[in-house]
Amino acid sequence: MMNGRVVLERFPAGGPRGSWPAEEFARARRSEGQCAEVVMDLATDAFLVIVRRGQGEHAAA
């Protein structure tokens, strides 16, 4: 967990052109009822799929 957020998955930023694996993963989690969103971690050059604390803590279990 970082800054009140739970990281569900990490995806490298250098994916193939036209590929959006982080967005697809987040959309699948939203269809399951989690409030997943994609953010960029500039320090690691990766996209993170997160849920904010209190909006999906069951995801960390």
Side-chain angles (χ1 to χ4, degrees), residues 6-26:
V6 176
V7 177
L8 300 178
E9 191 67 56
R10 297 173 184 271
F11 295 88
R17 181 173 223 171
S19 174
W20 299 91
E23 291 291 345
E24 292 166 3
F25 184 85

Side-chain angles (χ1 to χ4, degrees), residues 10-55:
R10 297 173 184 271
F11 295 88
R17 181 173 223 171
S19 174
W20 299 91
E23 291 291 345
E24 292 166 3
F25 184 85
R27 181 178 34 237
R29 300 302 70 80
R30 287 191 295 268
S31 72
E32 295 171 351
Q34 294 179 334
C35 297
E37 61 184 288
V38 178
V39 296
M40 179 70 182
D41 180 8
L42 295 174
T44 62
D45 194 32
F47 291 108
L48 308 178
V49 178
I50 64 156
V51 290
R52 297 190 188 278
R53 186 177 179 120
Q55 292 183 338

